[in-house]
Amino acid sequence: QVRVLLVDPDIASPGWRCGSGRLTTASSGCEGDEPVVEVPDIVDDAIEEALRQGSHIDVLESPTLRGVVNGLAALLRFR
């Protein structure tokens, strides 16, 4: 589960949603986890899922931070 989602506001990427709900940029990332559904923008889907989980979303405005994150990153909850 995601505690904080770090997002570059200028990034969008097509990808796939695995049968378990996991998002991936390569359809091979869902091997054995069918059905696989193509999604037009996994960044948007990741934001929606993070909001459903009650996660905090940080939109990165700094070019330096955008370069470090490279589009999308998450800080996970510790259990």
Side-chain angles (χ1 to χ4, degrees):
Q1 293 223 348
V2 173
R3 181 172 48 101
V4 179
L5 188 67
L6 306 171
V7 180
D8 179 339
D10 296 330
I11 216 73
S13 178
W16 289 265
R17 181 177 293 275
C18 305
S20 64
R22 188 169 52 89
L23 295 168
T24 181
T25 57
S27 62
S28 61
C30 291
E31 195 170 309
D33 190 7
E34 285 81 17
V36 179
V37 178
E38 191 169 358
V39 294
D41 183 4
I42 61 171
V43 175
D44 187 52
D45 278 28
I47 291 170
E48 289 176 12
E49 182 61 31
L51 290 171
R52 272 193 290 278
Q53 292 181 17
S55 304
H56 180 79
I57 310 291
D58 275 343
V59 178
L60 303 174
E61 299 297 335
S62 162
T64 303
L65 291 176
R66 287 181 187 182
V68 171
V69 167
N70 194 23
L72 186 69
L75 304 174
L76 304 178
R77 292 189 172 111
F78 180 74
R79 288 188 177 202

